Amino acid sequence: MALEHALLVSLTERAGSGYELARRFDKSIGYFWSATHQQIYRVLKRMEESGWVTVESVNQQGKPDKKVYSVAPAGRAEIARWLAEPTDATPARDELGVKIRAAAYGDIDAVCAEVERHRGQHAQRLDEYRLSEKKFFPVPDQLSGTDLHQYLVLRGGIRAESGYLEWCDEVLQALRPRKGDDRP
């Protein structure tokens, strides 16, 4: 997937300026596809040049004009084309997993500390996801359309984070010496 597709999805949900998109991105799609604000602005310019988005200039008092982006018919066609295209499973790329694999060659306590640090970060993200679920989707069985689709992605994130936490707990339990254990 290209950043263009993530931005098109966000813009189909609601038109916005580059700044607004970057802020929305940080709070939603950004959990699943990361991009810097500079990347977003560069890609918006390319999307405008490709005819995928239209831009409306909005006057602001005491500030430069704001560019508000909307999805153009060519952008909707690109979303439809992209949705129909097969997607390969994303290969896992996790530096922590490589560190755990190498634990026998270094300080296992340091590896455990790193696993605990990662566990804390994933626990925090899981809490954020669950708060979003309660706030934005209090009655999930009544969802449809875009709301349902957003909810399903959020549920995927909740399951992924829950699984990661379980894995961290399993790793810590396996790597930490137990009483009477003669491991170093």
Side-chain angles (χ1 to χ4, degrees):
M1 175 175 82
L3 177 57
E4 284 87 342
H5 299 112
L7 292 174
L8 282 170
V9 169
S10 185
L11 286 170
T12 58
E13 294 170 354
R14 190 171 67 233
S17 68
Y19 176 77
E20 291 164 345
L21 270 171
R23 288 187 47 91
R24 270 191 281 168
F25 215 81
D26 290 343
K27 295 178 182 178
S28 62
I29 290 177
Y31 285 118
F32 303 96
W33 190 268
S34 61
T36 66
H37 290 213
Q38 292 83 5
Q39 288 172 312
I40 290 171
Y41 283 107
R42 278 194 308 268
V43 169
L44 283 171
K45 182 174 172 57
R46 273 199 317 262
M47 291 168 59
E48 181 184 3
E49 291 166 357
S50 297
W52 291 1
V53 296
T54 58
V55 181
E56 178 186 344
S57 192
V58 176
N59 291 327
Q60 301 185 106
Q61 279 189 305
K63 300 179 188 175
D65 291 351
K66 176 167 77 168
K67 291 182 177 183
V68 176
Y69 296 86
S70 300
V71 178
R76 290 194 184 278
E78 175 55 22
I79 290 174
R81 183 206 63 76
W82 171 71
L83 282 171
E85 185 178 89
T87 302
D88 292 331
T90 305
R93 187 175 165 177
D94 189 340
E95 187 175 354
L96 181 61
V98 177
K99 286 185 174 190
I100 293 167
R101 188 164 174 155
Y105 307 109
D107 181 352
I108 288 185
D109 287 337
V111 173
C112 287
E114 185 67 358
V115 172
E116 287 172 348
R117 190 177 71 79
H118 278 254
R119 189 191 186 292
Q121 291 172 344
H122 286 277
Q124 181 178 350
R125 186 172 298 155
L126 178 59
D127 288 345
E128 291 170 11
Y129 288 174
R130 287 186 171 147
L131 285 173
S132 290
E133 182 180 35
K134 285 180 185 176
K135 179 178 179 181
F136 298 112
F137 307 106
V139 189
D141 59 341
Q142 295 179 9
L143 298 173
S144 63
T146 301
D147 289 339
L148 174 62
H149 306 151
Q150 291 172 349
Y151 173 74
L152 292 172
V153 172
L154 179 61
R155 287 297 305 158
I158 288 169
R159 287 178 176 262
E161 294 301 335
S162 296
Y164 204 93
L165 290 177
E166 288 175 19
W167 176 65
C168 287
D169 291 342
E170 180 181 347
V171 168
L172 291 168
Q173 183 178 3
L175 291 182
R176 288 192 176 128
R178 293 178 279 281
K179 286 185 181 179
D181 194 345
D182 60 354
R183 287 186 286 180

